[in-house]
Amino acid sequence: MTNIPPTEQVLIDKFLPTILENEAKGILQDLLGAPSLALHFMTFDYAQTMRAISHVRGIFDECYRAGHLKVAISHEKGRLYGYAILFEHPDPSIPQYCHKIFVFEEFRGNGIGTQLLQSLSTGSRGSCLLCRDDLIPFYETIGLEVKGAYTPPDAQQGFAMTRGLYTGLTLMGSANSGSFAPVFMLNDQDIGQLIAFGSQ
């Protein structure tokens, strides 16, 4: 991920707004699926939803501009087939965290997601991701190993509202990754800001 050819970087920059907006919508969908948070977001009108999407997109964009968020894409002839979003900790001994691999629906079933994932697990710093237990065999087929059950940060660390979204998941990683993952989560302050859009 560190040596992206200039032509590929131009395409990443072209597709970045679409990718970050798609991810922001996904985060809001996840929050709607959380019983403890759903009531806050169910009543959002269109304008409130768009403000919330823009806010989350801004968080992702800030991470990207700071160099902590990396993007890999699958494309051909100017069409974006799918992408992967990774978070890299400044400490090179900490593996990169694969936050999402996404393939647009019309291109699914062609191995694009697997290709993206395999390209990410070749780096020297190692890669890791979170998954449900039923997906462990799939990730093992591409060379990832079970690193253990993931323990999300607790309320004292500022993640009381979102930690429930990450319970019951397994940490998978490449052979050279440890058992720590720099997982991206919205903290309670971020969630509070999103909830506030509902009263505006």
Side-chain angles (χ1 to χ4, degrees):
M1 289 298 301
T2 54
N3 296 320
I4 299 172
T7 54
E8 189 77 358
Q9 187 60 57
V10 167
L11 285 170
I12 289 172
D13 291 342
K14 172 187 171 185
F15 294 128
L16 191 65
T18 299
I19 291 168
L20 298 186
E21 180 150 337
N22 195 52
E23 282 311 296
K25 289 176 180 177
I27 292 281
L28 289 181
Q29 196 64 42
D30 290 345
L31 296 176
L32 268 170
S36 62
L37 295 171
L39 289 176
H40 294 290
F41 299 105
M42 289 173 58
T43 58
F44 274 32
D45 63 20
Y46 179 78
Q48 292 163 333
T49 300
M50 294 312 293
R51 278 197 294 272
I53 289 170
S54 178
H55 183 76
V56 175
R57 192 172 113 181
I59 293 170
F60 279 119
D61 189 61
E62 184 179 329
C63 292
Y64 181 78
R65 302 293 167 211
H68 305 304
L69 183 153
K70 307 291 183 187
V71 176
I73 58 175
S74 174
H75 62 90
E76 188 177 60
K77 296 180 181 174
R79 287 194 78 180
L80 180 64
Y81 295 161
Y83 59 86
I85 290 183
L86 300 127
F87 282 89
E88 288 189 358
H89 194 277
D91 182 345
S93 69
I94 295 175
Q96 62 185 1
Y97 168 67
C98 182
H99 172 72
K100 174 73 75 67
I101 292 185
F102 182 85
V103 177
F104 290 95
E105 191 169 353
E106 62 267 35
F107 305 116
R108 291 177 188 166
N110 296 303
I112 293 169
T114 301
Q115 289 172 351
L116 279 166
L117 190 56
Q118 287 174 329
S119 72
L120 303 177
S121 57
T122 59
S124 60
R125 75 184 294 162
S127 301
C128 60
L129 54 81
L130 298 179
C131 73
R132 300 184 319 262
D133 286 351
D134 60 314
L135 293 174
I136 290 173
F138 167 73
Y139 288 117
E140 287 178 329
T141 63
I142 59 166
L144 297 182
E145 304 170 354
V146 173
K147 299 296 182 174
Y150 177 68
T151 304
D154 58 31
Q156 289 78 24
Q157 295 170 299
F159 293 93
M161 294 181 174
T162 52
R163 74 182 315 268
L165 296 172
Y166 296 85
T167 56
L169 298 175
T170 297
L171 178 64
M172 303 289 294
S174 54
N176 57 341
S177 69
S179 58
F180 171 77
V183 174
F184 172 83
M185 295 172 62
L186 294 180
N187 61 32
D188 292 344
Q189 182 179 349
D190 296 325
I191 299 298
Q193 289 176 317
L194 292 175
I195 290 170
F197 290 132
S199 60
Q200 296 176 359

